[in-house]
Amino acid sequence: MKILSTKDNLQVLHEDNHIIVVNKRVGDIVQGDKTGDKPLSDVVKEYIKEKYNKPGEVFLGVVHRLDRPTSGIVVFARTSKALSRLNETFKNRETQKTYWAIVKKQPPKEKDTLIHFLTRNPKNNTSKAHLKEVKDSKKASLSYSVFQKLNNYYALEIDLHTGRHHQIRCQLAAIGCPIKGDLKYGFDRSNPDGGIHLHARKLNLQHPVTKEILTFTAPTPNDVIWNTIS
């Protein structure tokens, strides 16, 4: 059963006067879209308003997003100054993001760097990986390593070098290892909660105001497979 985030069950990893860092649940949508579903940004505003008894409108800036079926770390800005600085930080790739993914098929190598050229299809909201540069493609690069072999699956740790649309999902599918539950990229069965086993596990980030280097780690969702990872 899918449980979405509310102001009462929000998984806050860090908060101060300038930023709030949340562990997003599967199914949470970070920012409002055409579905009209309540976005995580609104939930976080409600949480701040209630916790700090704030009158009027609460400022909250969306800095980056995660796909709806994924879980893990999302950073929001609580001031306009923090937002502009975080936007620069993410745009210039000055963060270090580590993801965990569960795949059924053993990857060709225990560890590898994948480089593809991705093209995006806005009609069905997917990306396609090409080995060589093609028209309108963007270079995508990531490194992965198998860090645990489970009964029927493999747990991968992934470091992103670029930030492309559906990059991890698309690149893993391109080597024959679609993420568990990811029907869009070739996995044969959906997950009961409609999500996929991709989790934004860790983020290194320079604080936009104090300049301190912060490291956030998000616990994995509570399910049978994630719970077998040690």
Side-chain angles (χ1 to χ4, degrees):
M1 185 181 146
K2 183 161 67 178
I3 298 172
L4 298 178
S5 294
T6 68
K7 66 180 173 58
D8 300 314
N9 70 8
L10 195 64
Q11 302 177 88
V12 178
L13 302 173
H14 171 90
E15 62 182 301
D16 60 42
N17 290 335
H18 307 282
I19 64 173
I20 182 165
V21 184
V22 171
N23 187 9
K24 171 181 132 40
R25 288 177 167 87
V26 166
D28 287 340
I29 188 164
V30 174
Q31 196 171 23
D33 70 355
K34 61 184 182 212
T35 62
D37 294 343
K38 187 178 196 171
L40 188 58
S41 54
D42 281 3
V43 172
V44 176
K45 281 183 183 179
E46 287 176 358
Y47 164 86
I48 291 168
K49 189 175 179 68
E50 184 174 285
K51 181 171 180 180
Y52 299 101
N53 198 19
K54 282 191 169 283
E57 188 69 23
V58 171
F59 178 89
L60 194 78
V62 176
V63 180
H64 66 121
R65 298 174 205 180
L66 282 182
D67 296 341
R68 189 167 195 167
T70 66
S71 55
I73 297 169
V74 180
V75 180
F76 294 99
R78 290 192 56 194
T79 62
S80 54
K81 180 164 78 169
L83 178 61
S84 61
R85 289 181 182 174
L86 284 170
N87 281 340
E88 283 299 304
T89 298
F90 276 83
K91 190 174 101 183
N92 298 331
R93 312 293 306 161
E94 291 164 3
T95 59
Q96 191 180 353
K97 298 177 186 174
T98 303
Y99 288 76
W100 281 1
I102 305 289
V103 300
K104 186 149 191 151
K105 190 180 169 200
Q106 183 172 7
K109 299 178 182 175
E110 285 285 305
K111 55 172 64 178
D112 200 5
T113 297
L114 304 181
I115 295 174
H116 292 96
F117 295 87
L118 305 191
T119 51
R120 187 168 176 178
N121 182 342
K123 279 188 182 168
N124 61 9
N125 191 33
T126 58
S127 288
K128 185 176 180 185
H130 307 266
L131 290 173
K132 293 184 177 171
E133 192 167 2
V134 298
K135 186 174 181 285
D136 296 329
S137 64
K138 292 181 176 177
K139 188 177 180 180
S141 172
L142 62 78
S143 301
Y144 76 82
S145 61
V146 178
F147 73 90
Q148 198 170 332
K149 292 176 183 174
L150 311 171
N151 283 343
N152 295 307
Y153 300 97
Y154 295 84
L156 311 186
E157 184 163 282
I158 297 142
D159 288 314
L160 270 184
H161 310 149
T162 53
R164 305 298 182 205
H165 176 256
H166 288 183
Q167 180 179 337
I168 297 173
R169 300 166 66 180
C170 180
Q171 286 195 275
L172 290 182
I175 60 167
C177 297
I179 294 167
K180 184 179 182 303
D182 199 354
L183 298 179
K184 206 166 239 191
Y185 287 95
F187 200 82
D188 58 359
R189 268 197 335 273
S190 61
N191 287 341
D193 63 3
I196 63 174
H197 276 74
L198 178 62
H199 180 68
R201 171 69 174 171
K202 202 170 174 186
L203 176 69
N204 284 1
L205 175 75
Q206 185 181 57
H207 192 283
V209 178
T210 67
K211 304 304 180 193
E212 181 187 355
I213 301 298
L214 303 172
T215 301
F216 307 113
T217 304
T220 51
N222 179 21
D223 83 14
V224 173
I225 294 174
W226 284 127
N227 292 347
T228 59
I229 290 178
S230 52

